[in-house]
Amino acid sequence: MSSPPDRSPAAADPTSRGYHAFEDPVHDRLFGVILTLGAEVWSLRDRLNLLESALADQGIAVSALIEELALDPERAHATAADRDAFLARFLRAISADG
């Protein structure tokens, strides 16, 4: 199994290598956060695609199972609650009074 790419703060933060595109360094850091999150989303999508393909190669129709689970009202409610808690933590971390 291969190890995932280096996601250390120094590796992911363009500002750590002298990156400068905006006059306000806060904007540079925010842009770095956006790039880092975008890279992470891509990595997760890629790994999920590989996992689904590997399971399909083993005869497990995981995509259909995922769609079936997504229709379960109890699971949908729990997922929505988990999402709302995640967003609250995320927004709290970036808020002025965080």
Side-chain angles (χ1 to χ4, degrees):
M1 180 167 120
S2 65
S3 60
D6 181 9
R7 287 187 189 43
S8 66
D13 182 9
T15 61
S16 69
R17 294 185 293 275
Y19 178 82
H20 179 74
F22 302 99
E23 287 194 28
D24 187 343
V26 170
H27 293 143
D28 284 327
R29 287 193 300 273
L30 182 58
F31 189 59
V33 168
I34 292 167
L35 291 176
T36 300
L37 287 172
E40 184 66 21
V41 167
W42 174 253
S43 176
L44 290 170
R45 287 178 57 156
D46 184 45
R47 301 288 289 190
L48 180 60
N49 185 34
L50 290 170
L51 178 61
E52 288 185 12
S53 295
L55 290 170
D57 289 349
Q58 297 296 315
I60 302 169
V62 71
S63 295
L65 293 171
I66 290 170
E67 294 303 321
E68 184 179 318
L69 287 171
L71 296 175
D72 177 14
E74 286 183 34
R75 185 176 295 274
H77 180 71
T79 299
D82 190 36
R83 178 205 58 220
D84 292 346
F86 168 79
L87 286 173
R89 287 190 310 273
F90 181 79
L91 294 174
R92 186 171 38 251
I94 64 171
S95 71
D97 59 337

